[in-house]
Amino acid sequence: MKLKPLFDSLKDGDSISFTYQFEEYGQIKERDLIVQAHESYNGGDSILSIKTEIGFLGSMNIEKVTPSRLKAYDFNMMSVRSTYDFIFKNIIQESIVVNRAGVLEEA
């Protein structure tokens, strides 16, 4: 499945939840994430953010959706920019659920 068109199709109020696999300290772990679309401040295209589905941590902004990854960034309290790439091959395809303004779809 091509994921770039799916993420590009999100409009204000839509979201995609999925399970993401990553390596931490030599162990494979999984985390449930959600990408949400929000109306941009200037009324243009929707902007995307990503966060854990359950948790207290903040979110990251999606800077760019490429054919192979989501490029995310955030700023800490000292205005230092951090970046992270969410690679599409690490998304468990069977876990993808699309929420289009309250209507759930399995991708």
Side-chain angles (χ1 to χ4, degrees):
M1 164 192 291
K2 299 271 186 196
L3 294 178
K4 181 178 179 356
L6 185 61
F7 285 104
D8 285 339
S9 72
L10 294 178
K11 303 290 183 224
D12 184 37
D14 294 349
S15 64
I16 298 174
S17 58
F18 54 89
T19 301
Y20 188 77
Q21 287 185 330
F22 60 100
E23 185 177 338
E24 183 176 67
Y25 304 116
Q27 295 182 346
I28 300 295
K29 296 188 175 188
E30 294 181 355
R31 184 159 291 146
D32 293 328
L33 301 175
I34 185 165
V35 172
Q36 295 177 310
H38 311 278
E39 185 177 346
S40 67
Y41 299 108
N42 62 9
D45 293 335
S46 293
I47 56 175
L48 302 177
S49 65
I50 188 167
K51 65 180 184 175
T52 58
E53 201 164 287
I54 299 174
F56 60 91
L57 298 176
S59 64
M60 296 182 85
N61 297 311
I62 303 295
E63 179 176 22
K64 187 176 187 180
V65 179
T66 73
S68 63
R69 66 192 69 223
L70 298 171
K71 296 178 146 300
Y73 71 94
D74 70 352
F75 290 94
N76 68 13
M77 293 182 350
M78 301 301 290
S79 298
V80 175
R81 181 180 164 119
S82 298
T83 62
Y84 188 84
D85 287 353
F86 293 91
I87 301 169
F88 289 159
K89 71 177 184 173
N90 293 348
I91 293 175
I92 299 173
Q93 299 270 335
E94 296 79 23
S95 71
I96 298 172
V97 176
V98 180
N99 182 346
R100 297 213 185 263
V103 179
L104 294 178
E105 308 171 1
E106 293 211 17

XYZ file of all heavy atoms in Angstrom:
858
model
N 0.841 -1.180 0.000
C 0.000 0.000 0.000
C 0.888 1.245 0.000
O 1.850 1.338 0.746
C -0.899 -0.005 1.236
C -1.517 1.336 1.501
S -2.308 1.497 3.101
C -3.681 0.420 2.870
N 0.545 2.204 -0.810
C 1.259 3.474 -0.853
C 0.711 4.372 0.263
O -0.476 4.669 0.300
C 1.066 4.165 -2.203
C 1.578 3.361 -3.367
C 3.010 3.667 -3.608
C 3.456 2.956 -4.880
N 4.867 2.897 -4.996
N 1.575 4.775 1.186
C 1.113 5.548 2.335
C 1.130 7.053 2.095
O 0.345 7.772 2.694
C 1.949 5.197 3.564
C 1.768 3.766 4.061
C 2.664 3.499 5.258
C 0.328 3.501 4.422
N 2.005 7.548 1.219
C 2.076 8.996 0.987
C 0.719 9.562 0.559
O 0.250 10.542 1.142
C 3.157 9.336 -0.034
C 3.279 10.845 -0.280
C 4.376 11.148 -1.262
C 4.573 12.603 -1.594
N 3.749 13.618 -1.117
N 0.034 8.967 -0.440
C -1.276 9.505 -0.821
C -2.294 9.469 0.320
O -3.141 10.358 0.426
C -1.728 8.616 -1.979
C -0.500 7.961 -2.491
C 0.436 7.869 -1.328
N -2.194 8.458 1.170
C -3.114 8.355 2.308
C -2.903 9.518 3.268
O -3.856 10.185 3.675
C -2.913 7.016 3.014
C -3.862 6.697 4.157
C -5.305 6.648 3.673
C -3.473 5.385 4.802
N -1.647 9.806 3.631
C -1.363 10.921 4.531
C -1.659 12.258 3.860
O -2.156 13.182 4.492
C 0.086 10.875 5.020
C 0.324 9.823 6.059
C 0.958 8.639 5.735
C -0.099 10.006 7.370
C 1.167 7.655 6.690
C 0.110 9.029 8.333
C 0.747 7.852 7.988
N -1.374 12.370 2.560
C -1.640 13.617 1.832
C -3.135 13.910 1.724
O -3.535 15.062 1.560
C -1.042 13.566 0.423
C 0.471 13.724 0.427
O 1.026 14.251 1.421
O 1.100 13.329 -0.577
N -3.982 12.883 1.820
C -5.420 13.065 1.654
C -6.122 13.573 2.911
O -7.307 13.891 2.869
C -6.073 11.749 1.216
O -6.092 10.823 2.293
N -5.411 13.650 4.039
C -6.044 14.071 5.289
C -6.474 15.533 5.232
O -5.731 16.400 4.794
C -5.092 13.865 6.470
C -4.735 12.420 6.814
C -3.757 12.386 7.978
C -5.976 11.624 7.139
N -7.677 15.777 5.695
C -8.236 17.126 5.804
C -8.464 17.443 7.278
O -8.403 16.557 8.126
C -9.568 17.227 5.041
C -9.482 16.856 3.582
C -8.720 17.879 2.788
C -8.713 17.522 1.308
N -7.430 17.682 0.687
N -8.791 18.686 7.581
C -9.009 19.114 8.960
C -9.998 18.185 9.664
O -11.084 17.926 9.157
C -9.532 20.559 8.971
C -9.691 21.105 10.371
O -8.859 20.788 11.242
O -10.658 21.863 10.599
N -9.597 17.651 10.808
C -10.447 16.749 11.579
C -10.211 15.279 11.310
O -10.698 14.427 12.050
N -9.468 14.934 10.248
C -9.163 13.540 9.926
C -7.941 13.083 10.720
O -7.113 13.892 11.136
C -8.844 13.372 8.434
C -10.030 13.650 7.526
O -11.160 13.769 8.039
O -9.809 13.752 6.306
N -7.818 11.764 10.891
C -6.634 11.222 11.552
C -6.363 9.800 11.058
O -7.252 9.145 10.499
C -6.806 11.220 13.067
O -7.852 10.362 13.454
N -5.137 9.364 11.262
C -4.733 7.996 10.956
C -4.017 7.464 12.190
O -3.080 8.093 12.678
C -3.782 7.928 9.747
C -4.458 8.437 8.485
C -3.268 6.499 9.542
C -3.536 8.530 7.277
N -4.460 6.330 12.702
C -3.759 5.699 13.821
C -3.120 4.413 13.312
O -3.630 3.763 12.394
C -4.708 5.441 14.989
O -5.774 4.630 14.590
N -1.970 4.073 13.908
C -1.223 2.898 13.482
C -0.229 2.503 14.570
O 0.033 3.265 15.498
C -0.475 3.149 12.164
C 0.422 4.358 12.185
C 1.744 4.257 12.595
C -0.058 5.595 11.794
C 2.569 5.371 12.620
C 0.763 6.711 11.817
C 2.075 6.596 12.229
N 0.317 1.300 14.426
C 1.353 0.815 15.329
C 2.685 0.936 14.610
O 2.818 0.524 13.450
C 1.089 -0.648 15.733
O -0.192 -0.716 16.365
C 2.149 -1.152 16.700
N 3.659 1.529 15.306
C 4.977 1.791 14.734
C 6.022 0.971 15.479
O 6.057 0.978 16.708
C 5.290 3.289 14.865
C 6.539 3.715 14.146
C 6.543 3.872 12.771
C 7.711 3.960 14.842
C 7.691 4.270 12.101
C 8.867 4.364 14.188
C 8.844 4.505 12.813
O 9.981 4.900 12.158
N 6.852 0.241 14.737
C 7.937 -0.540 15.328
C 9.234 0.259 15.251
O 9.509 0.885 14.227
C 8.144 -1.855 14.580
C 7.082 -2.869 14.829
C 7.412 -4.193 14.150
O 8.055 -4.237 13.123
N 6.941 -5.271 14.739
N 10.016 0.206 16.333
C 11.305 0.896 16.350
C 12.252 0.127 17.253
O 11.832 -0.713 18.050
C 11.149 2.342 16.827
C 10.584 2.467 18.216
C 11.415 2.699 19.298
C 9.214 2.340 18.446
C 10.899 2.812 20.579
C 8.693 2.456 19.720
C 9.536 2.688 20.792
N 13.531 0.410 17.098
C 14.534 -0.246 17.925
C 15.006 0.720 18.997
O 15.299 1.880 18.721
C 15.731 -0.686 17.086
C 16.739 -1.482 17.878
C 17.896 -1.982 17.032
O 17.733 -2.083 15.806
O 18.952 -2.248 17.610
N 15.039 0.228 20.232
C 15.515 1.041 21.351
C 16.398 0.157 22.223
O 15.943 -0.874 22.724
C 14.329 1.580 22.143
C 14.724 2.502 23.275
C 13.512 3.093 23.960
O 12.757 2.321 24.600
O 13.315 4.311 23.840
N 17.642 0.562 22.370
C 18.608 -0.186 23.169
C 18.695 -1.647 22.744
O 18.736 -2.555 23.566
C 18.280 -0.086 24.662
C 18.204 1.337 25.155
C 17.000 1.849 25.625
C 19.317 2.166 25.140
C 16.920 3.164 26.082
C 19.239 3.481 25.587
C 18.048 3.957 26.052
O 17.975 5.261 26.485
N 18.685 -1.867 21.431
C 18.844 -3.213 20.890
C 17.602 -4.078 20.922
O 17.657 -5.242 20.539
N 16.472 -3.541 21.363
C 15.223 -4.302 21.411
C 14.189 -3.662 20.491
O 14.118 -2.442 20.387
C 14.662 -4.330 22.828
C 15.523 -5.061 23.820
C 14.878 -5.090 25.201
O 13.932 -4.366 25.475
N 15.399 -5.933 26.068
N 13.396 -4.507 19.839
C 12.309 -4.026 18.985
C 11.109 -3.729 19.876
O 10.682 -4.569 20.664
C 11.929 -5.066 17.912
C 13.121 -5.375 17.018
C 10.730 -4.591 17.092
C 13.602 -4.202 16.193
N 10.593 -2.509 19.747
C 9.423 -2.099 20.524
C 8.348 -1.603 19.571
O 8.607 -1.319 18.407
C 9.807 -1.000 21.505
C 10.796 -1.453 22.544
C 10.998 -0.412 23.601
C 11.899 -0.973 24.689
N 11.982 -0.080 25.823
N 7.142 -1.484 20.090
C 6.016 -0.971 19.309
C 5.342 0.149 20.081
O 5.286 0.116 21.305
C 4.997 -2.073 19.024
C 5.520 -3.152 18.127
C 4.482 -4.229 17.834
O 3.365 -4.186 18.414
O 4.785 -5.119 17.026
N 4.843 1.126 19.354
C 4.118 2.233 19.976
C 2.937 2.585 19.075
O 3.067 2.638 17.856
C 5.055 3.430 20.138
C 4.386 4.579 20.865
C 5.363 5.531 21.484
N 6.037 4.866 22.588
C 7.295 5.095 22.921
N 8.019 5.937 22.238
N 7.851 4.467 23.935
N 1.784 2.802 19.690
C 0.595 3.226 18.947
C 0.655 4.728 18.766
O 0.751 5.487 19.734
C -0.678 2.826 19.686
C -0.870 1.321 19.744
O -0.442 0.640 18.785
O -1.421 0.817 20.722
N 0.595 5.168 17.504
C 0.694 6.589 17.172
C -0.542 7.038 16.419
O -1.274 6.228 15.838
C 1.937 6.842 16.306
C 3.279 6.459 16.916
C 4.395 6.652 15.895
C 3.559 7.282 18.159
N -0.757 8.336 16.424
C -1.872 8.920 15.670
C -1.370 10.188 14.975
O -0.686 11.011 15.581
C -3.088 9.205 16.581
C -4.270 9.695 15.766
C -2.746 10.171 17.690
C -5.588 9.648 16.513
N -1.682 10.290 13.693
C -1.390 11.491 12.904
C -2.716 12.212 12.716
O -3.685 11.619 12.246
C -0.761 11.137 11.536
C -0.651 12.368 10.664
C 0.600 10.487 11.730
N -2.735 13.495 13.098
C -3.964 14.283 12.993
C -3.759 15.458 12.047
O -2.675 16.034 12.000
C -4.369 14.811 14.362
C -4.738 13.712 15.332
C -5.072 14.253 16.710
O -4.316 15.030 17.275
N -6.195 13.817 17.245
N -4.809 15.792 11.322
C -4.792 16.955 10.439
C -5.504 18.105 11.135
O -6.542 17.912 11.764
C -5.487 16.631 9.118
N -4.915 19.277 11.036
C -5.464 20.483 11.642
C -5.531 21.581 10.587
O -4.706 21.620 9.682
C -4.569 20.972 12.795
C -4.194 19.906 13.758
N -5.019 19.504 14.781
C -3.085 19.134 13.844
C -4.426 18.545 15.464
N -3.251 18.292 14.915
N -6.474 22.467 10.751
C -6.573 23.607 9.848
C -5.360 24.511 10.054
O -4.970 24.799 11.183
C -7.851 24.397 10.123
C -8.088 25.524 9.156
C -9.401 26.233 9.416
O -10.236 25.696 10.159
O -9.579 27.331 8.884
N -4.738 24.940 8.964
C -3.578 25.820 9.084
C -4.035 27.220 9.478
O -5.193 27.593 9.299
C -2.786 25.865 7.777
O -3.547 26.489 6.771
N -3.116 27.970 10.028
C -3.449 29.311 10.513
C -3.853 30.262 9.405
O -4.662 31.155 9.611
C -2.252 29.889 11.283
C -1.887 29.050 12.473
C -0.739 28.280 12.480
C -2.716 28.993 13.594
C -0.413 27.485 13.567
C -2.409 28.201 14.679
C -1.243 27.456 14.662
O -0.934 26.679 15.738
N -3.310 30.076 8.200
C -3.626 30.991 7.097
C -4.754 30.481 6.209
O -5.038 31.065 5.175
C -2.371 31.256 6.258
C -1.829 30.001 5.605
O -2.467 28.951 5.638
N -0.655 30.098 5.015
N -5.388 29.377 6.619
C -6.523 28.860 5.860
C -6.134 28.060 4.636
O -6.992 27.702 3.842
N -4.856 27.745 4.459
C -4.399 26.962 3.311
C -4.572 25.478 3.548
O -5.566 25.021 4.111
N -3.585 24.721 3.124
C -3.609 23.267 3.308
C -3.619 22.907 4.788
O -3.171 23.676 5.631
C -2.381 22.628 2.651
C -2.410 22.745 1.133
O -3.518 22.860 0.578
O -1.330 22.729 0.527
N -4.107 21.712 5.075
C -4.086 21.223 6.456
C -2.648 20.940 6.877
O -1.805 20.594 6.062
C -4.895 19.929 6.570
O -6.256 20.172 6.344
N -2.371 21.098 8.168
C -1.069 20.744 8.712
C -1.239 19.469 9.529
O -2.324 19.200 10.054
C -0.463 21.881 9.556
C -1.406 22.310 10.672
C -0.105 23.061 8.680
C -0.826 23.333 11.620
N -0.189 18.669 9.602
C -0.247 17.389 10.291
C 0.615 17.409 11.542
O 1.648 18.074 11.588
C 0.256 16.267 9.373
C -0.467 16.075 8.044
C 0.199 14.969 7.243
C -1.933 15.763 8.269
N 0.175 16.651 12.549
C 0.977 16.441 13.748
C 0.899 14.960 14.099
O -0.025 14.254 13.695
C 0.484 17.300 14.902
O -0.814 16.919 15.295
N 1.883 14.484 14.866
C 1.926 13.083 15.275
C 2.173 13.015 16.774
O 2.922 13.830 17.318
C 3.009 12.303 14.488
C 2.918 10.803 14.778
C 4.400 12.860 14.744
C 3.739 9.952 13.821
N 1.486 12.095 17.428
C 1.651 11.923 18.875
C 1.337 10.476 19.230
O 0.807 9.718 18.412
C 0.738 12.864 19.640
C -0.732 12.587 19.456
C -1.588 13.540 20.244
C -3.055 13.174 20.104
N -3.897 13.992 20.949
N 1.669 10.097 20.468
C 1.296 8.768 20.920
C -0.208 8.749 21.159
O -0.792 9.761 21.568
C 2.038 8.367 22.214
O 1.755 9.322 23.224
C 3.524 8.266 21.988
N -0.822 7.625 20.871
C -2.274 7.532 21.016
C -2.684 7.640 22.475
O -3.681 8.256 22.805
C -2.766 6.216 20.404
C -4.223 6.244 20.048
C -4.603 5.117 19.122
O -4.246 5.175 17.947
O -5.266 4.190 19.589
N -1.903 7.026 23.364
C -2.157 7.119 24.793
C -0.850 7.556 25.434
O 0.183 6.930 25.224
C -2.599 5.762 25.372
C -3.897 5.316 24.706
C -2.747 5.844 26.874
C -4.339 3.930 25.084
N -0.877 8.616 26.181
C 0.351 9.051 26.832
C 0.318 10.526 27.155
O -0.568 11.255 26.746
N 1.330 10.941 27.865
C 1.392 12.318 28.320
C 2.374 13.157 27.504
O 2.462 14.361 27.705
C 1.805 12.361 29.803
C 3.152 11.743 30.048
C 4.286 12.522 30.010
C 3.275 10.391 30.304
C 5.538 11.955 30.217
C 4.518 9.821 30.526
C 5.648 10.605 30.485
N 3.136 12.532 26.627
C 4.123 13.273 25.854
C 3.442 14.151 24.821
O 2.352 13.850 24.355
C 5.091 12.308 25.176
C 5.918 11.439 26.117
C 6.753 10.453 25.310
C 6.794 12.288 27.002
N 4.106 15.226 24.439
C 3.560 16.149 23.459
C 3.592 15.577 22.055
O 3.877 14.400 21.842
N 3.293 16.422 21.116
C 3.253 15.990 19.729
C 4.396 16.627 18.954
O 5.054 17.540 19.431
C 1.915 16.375 19.094
O 1.783 17.771 19.052
N 4.611 16.111 17.753
C 5.578 16.684 16.829
C 4.814 17.136 15.595
O 3.778 16.555 15.240
C 6.632 15.651 16.423
C 7.507 15.166 17.565
S 8.775 14.003 17.011
C 10.048 15.165 16.486
N 5.304 18.168 14.953
C 4.724 18.628 13.698
C 5.308 17.817 12.550
O 6.481 17.455 12.576
C 5.044 20.108 13.473
C 4.442 20.980 14.540
O 3.268 20.860 14.849
N 5.246 21.841 15.122
N 4.477 17.530 11.551
C 4.957 16.855 10.350
C 5.373 17.943 9.368
O 4.560 18.736 8.920
C 3.876 15.957 9.721
C 3.362 14.912 10.714
C 4.399 15.309 8.447
C 4.373 13.898 11.156
N 6.666 17.970 9.065
C 7.204 18.967 8.144
C 6.946 18.578 6.693
O 6.624 19.416 5.853
C 8.705 19.109 8.382
C 9.398 20.088 7.479
C 10.862 20.246 7.834
O 11.454 19.347 8.477
O 11.410 21.280 7.479
N 7.080 17.264 6.420
C 6.992 16.809 5.042
C 6.606 15.338 5.011
O 7.038 14.557 5.855
C 8.360 17.000 4.378
C 8.426 16.738 2.920
C 9.828 17.078 2.413
C 9.898 16.989 0.913
N 11.239 17.319 0.428
N 5.801 14.972 4.014
C 5.473 13.570 3.760
C 6.171 13.201 2.458
O 5.903 13.789 1.419
C 3.952 13.357 3.624
C 3.641 11.894 3.347
C 3.223 13.838 4.867
N 7.108 12.253 2.532
C 7.814 11.794 1.339
C 7.270 10.421 0.965
O 6.475 9.847 1.708
C 9.341 11.715 1.593
O 9.609 10.586 2.426
C 9.884 12.989 2.230
N 7.685 9.854 -0.153
C 7.213 8.508 -0.509
C 7.621 7.416 0.487
O 7.030 6.341 0.496
C 7.849 8.259 -1.876
C 8.043 9.627 -2.442
C 8.403 10.485 -1.267
N 8.610 7.687 1.351
C 9.092 6.641 2.250
C 9.020 6.982 3.733
O 9.286 6.130 4.569
C 10.546 6.301 1.911
O 11.377 7.433 2.123
N 8.637 8.230 4.100
C 8.669 8.592 5.516
C 7.886 9.861 5.823
O 7.575 10.644 4.933
C 10.102 8.763 5.982
C 10.821 9.932 5.351
C 12.326 9.926 5.599
N 12.928 8.846 4.872
C 13.864 8.038 5.358
N 14.349 8.215 6.539
N 14.347 7.054 4.638
N 7.604 10.009 7.123
C 7.076 11.263 7.658
C 8.242 11.970 8.330
O 8.893 11.396 9.200
C 5.990 10.997 8.704
C 4.728 10.283 8.265
C 3.887 9.926 9.486
C 3.935 11.151 7.311
N 8.538 13.195 7.935
C 9.612 13.969 8.551
C 8.975 14.885 9.591
O 8.178 15.753 9.245
C 10.372 14.776 7.509
C 11.100 13.904 6.500
C 11.798 14.760 5.473
C 13.079 14.161 5.006
N 14.101 13.922 5.937
N 9.322 14.657 10.865
C 8.699 15.382 11.970
C 9.724 16.229 12.712
O 10.923 15.953 12.677
C 8.046 14.391 12.932
N 9.217 17.275 13.388
C 10.090 18.131 14.187
C 9.313 18.707 15.361
O 8.091 18.746 15.359
C 10.665 19.275 13.341
C 9.635 20.311 12.974
C 9.464 21.452 13.750
C 8.812 20.147 11.870
C 8.496 22.393 13.430
C 7.857 21.083 11.534
C 7.701 22.210 12.328
O 6.743 23.132 12.015
N 10.056 19.157 16.364
C 9.474 19.934 17.455
C 10.567 20.809 18.055
O 11.726 20.736 17.663
C 8.819 19.050 18.520
C 9.804 18.244 19.344
O 11.005 18.223 19.018
O 9.375 17.621 20.318
N 10.171 21.669 18.957
C 11.104 22.558 19.643
C 10.953 22.344 21.137
O 9.845 22.245 21.641
C 10.815 24.028 19.318
C 11.146 24.405 17.900
C 10.182 24.377 16.909
C 12.434 24.777 17.560
C 10.475 24.720 15.608
C 12.746 25.115 16.253
C 11.773 25.093 15.276
N 12.090 22.279 21.864
C 11.996 22.140 23.312
C 11.883 23.525 23.956
O 11.792 24.540 23.267
C 13.174 21.329 23.874
C 14.497 22.052 23.768
O 14.574 23.251 23.508
N 15.571 21.318 23.976
N 11.903 23.578 25.281
C 11.715 24.853 25.987
C 12.864 25.834 25.744
O 12.713 27.026 25.972
C 11.539 24.601 27.485
C 10.247 23.887 27.773
S 9.837 23.563 29.500
C 11.229 23.941 30.432
N 14.004 25.351 25.281
C 15.145 26.215 25.003
C 15.219 26.565 23.515
O 16.238 27.019 23.032
C 16.446 25.528 25.450
C 16.466 25.174 26.925
S 16.256 26.584 28.004
C 17.788 27.405 27.749
N 14.145 26.320 22.787
C 14.037 26.600 21.350
C 15.011 25.792 20.502
O 15.422 26.229 19.435
C 14.213 28.092 21.070
O 13.203 28.827 21.701
N 15.375 24.609 20.980
C 16.233 23.716 20.204
C 15.336 22.791 19.383
O 14.446 22.146 19.924
C 17.168 22.898 21.126
C 17.976 21.886 20.321
C 18.073 23.816 21.920
N 15.587 22.754 18.099
C 14.783 21.941 17.193
C 15.276 20.495 17.202
O 16.467 20.234 17.080
C 14.878 22.515 15.778
C 14.063 21.768 14.755
C 14.236 22.421 13.391
N 13.802 21.545 12.337
C 12.831 21.812 11.492
N 12.187 22.954 11.586
N 12.511 20.972 10.550
N 14.328 19.562 17.341
C 14.614 18.134 17.250
C 13.851 17.574 16.054
O 12.737 18.022 15.762
C 14.157 17.401 18.506
O 14.832 17.870 19.633
N 14.435 16.612 15.380
C 13.777 16.006 14.228
C 13.743 14.489 14.388
O 14.550 13.911 15.114
C 14.506 16.345 12.906
O 15.832 15.818 12.959
C 14.540 17.842 12.661
N 12.792 13.861 13.712
C 12.694 12.412 13.697
C 12.001 12.013 12.400
O 11.062 12.673 11.966
C 11.892 11.896 14.901
C 11.936 10.398 15.040
C 12.998 9.779 15.685
C 10.935 9.605 14.500
C 13.066 8.398 15.800
C 10.990 8.224 14.614
C 12.051 7.629 15.264
O 12.111 6.263 15.371
N 12.485 10.942 11.788
C 11.849 10.399 10.591
C 11.088 9.130 10.955
O 11.670 8.183 11.488
C 12.890 10.068 9.524
C 13.475 11.292 8.856
O 12.993 12.406 9.120
O 14.417 11.143 8.056
N 9.793 9.115 10.685
C 8.969 7.929 10.873
C 8.934 7.212 9.523
O 8.294 7.668 8.579
C 7.558 8.315 11.328
C 7.523 8.916 12.700
C 7.629 10.284 12.877
C 7.404 8.115 13.822
C 7.606 10.851 14.144
C 7.378 8.667 15.096
C 7.485 10.033 15.254
N 9.663 6.109 9.449
C 9.849 5.393 8.186
C 8.645 4.485 7.935
O 8.232 3.725 8.808
C 11.158 4.581 8.230
C 12.334 5.536 8.485
C 11.362 3.798 6.940
C 13.634 4.853 8.820
N 8.074 4.578 6.735
C 6.865 3.826 6.409
C 7.036 2.319 6.553
O 6.101 1.625 6.935
C 6.384 4.152 4.994
C 5.801 5.530 4.853
C 5.720 6.131 3.612
C 5.323 6.243 5.947
C 5.175 7.402 3.461
C 4.780 7.507 5.814
C 4.709 8.085 4.559
N 8.227 1.770 6.271
C 8.386 0.313 6.371
C 8.280 -0.172 7.813
O 8.084 -1.360 8.041
C 9.702 -0.144 5.733
C 10.935 0.225 6.491
C 12.169 -0.338 5.823
C 13.386 -0.032 6.683
N 14.576 -0.657 6.207
N 8.367 0.731 8.793
C 8.231 0.358 10.202
C 6.790 0.445 10.701
O 6.518 0.147 11.858
C 9.129 1.227 11.083
C 10.598 0.961 10.836
O 10.966 -0.012 10.187
N 11.440 1.830 11.335
N 5.881 0.874 9.841
C 4.459 0.915 10.198
C 3.860 -0.461 9.919
O 4.026 -1.016 8.837
C 3.710 1.986 9.384
C 4.200 3.384 9.776
C 2.202 1.868 9.584
C 3.609 4.507 8.948
N 3.188 -1.021 10.916
C 2.518 -2.309 10.729
C 1.244 -2.042 9.918
O 0.289 -1.430 10.408
C 2.207 -2.967 12.083
C 3.523 -3.229 12.832
C 1.405 -4.250 11.893
C 3.353 -3.721 14.245
N 1.266 -2.458 8.651
C 0.202 -2.127 7.702
C -1.185 -2.564 8.178
O -2.162 -1.858 7.987
C 0.493 -2.767 6.338
C 1.772 -2.295 5.691
C 1.595 -1.087 4.810
O 0.519 -0.829 4.301
N 2.661 -0.342 4.631
N -1.257 -3.714 8.838
C -2.546 -4.242 9.283
C -3.159 -3.408 10.399
O -4.337 -3.555 10.716
C -2.408 -5.696 9.761
C -1.985 -6.676 8.696
C -0.478 -6.649 8.406
O 0.301 -6.212 9.269
O -0.098 -7.052 7.305
N -2.364 -2.538 11.018
C -2.852 -1.759 12.155
C -3.424 -0.397 11.760
O -3.952 0.310 12.601
C -1.710 -1.535 13.156
O -0.750 -0.620 12.636
N -3.339 -0.031 10.497
C -3.734 1.309 10.058
C -5.251 1.464 10.099
O -5.989 0.669 9.515
C -3.215 1.605 8.639
C -1.694 1.577 8.632
C -3.739 2.945 8.137
C -1.075 1.677 7.252
N -5.713 2.504 10.811
C -7.132 2.845 10.861
C -7.249 4.331 10.529
O -6.586 5.169 11.127
C -7.750 2.564 12.248
C -9.190 3.021 12.303
C -7.640 1.092 12.592
N -8.100 4.644 9.561
C -8.307 6.021 9.126
C -9.620 6.526 9.709
O -10.641 5.855 9.620
C -8.333 6.118 7.580
C -8.551 7.552 7.135
C -7.060 5.540 6.984
N -9.581 7.710 10.307
C -10.769 8.343 10.874
C -11.021 9.611 10.070
O -10.311 10.591 10.224
C -10.550 8.655 12.350
C -11.756 9.274 13.000
O -12.687 9.709 12.336
N -11.739 9.329 14.313
N -12.007 9.578 9.213
C -12.334 10.742 8.373
C -13.528 11.457 8.989
O -14.661 11.048 8.790
C -12.628 10.333 6.953
C -11.416 9.695 6.290
C -11.361 10.005 4.819
N -10.279 9.288 4.188
C -9.085 9.820 3.955
N -8.837 11.049 4.303
N -8.143 9.105 3.366
N -13.227 12.495 9.753
C -14.252 13.326 10.401
C -15.297 12.461 11.101
O -16.495 12.641 10.926
C -14.898 14.269 9.387
N -14.828 11.496 11.883
C -15.730 10.673 12.680
C -16.153 9.364 12.056
O -16.843 8.580 12.681
N -15.752 9.083 10.808
C -16.110 7.840 10.133
C -14.855 6.987 10.023
O -13.905 7.360 9.355
C -16.697 8.101 8.734
C -17.035 6.803 8.031
C -17.911 9.009 8.823
N -14.841 5.825 10.705
C -13.672 4.956 10.706
C -13.607 4.122 9.446
O -14.609 3.616 8.950
C -13.703 4.021 11.916
C -13.569 4.689 13.277
C -13.660 3.633 14.379
C -12.272 5.440 13.386
N -12.376 3.974 8.897
C -12.107 3.126 7.744
C -10.858 2.320 8.053
O -9.927 2.843 8.624
C -11.790 3.955 6.492
C -12.750 5.028 6.120
C -12.208 5.910 5.001
O -11.091 5.663 4.517
O -12.892 6.855 4.654
N -10.836 1.070 7.663
C -9.599 0.304 7.747
C -8.898 0.425 6.430
O -9.510 0.256 5.375
C -9.889 -1.148 8.111
C -10.439 -1.295 9.503
C -10.061 -2.606 10.157
O -9.141 -3.260 9.679
O -10.728 -2.949 11.127
N -7.605 0.741 6.469
C -6.859 0.945 5.222
C -6.378 -0.361 4.666
O -6.214 -1.325 5.324
C -5.688 1.868 5.475
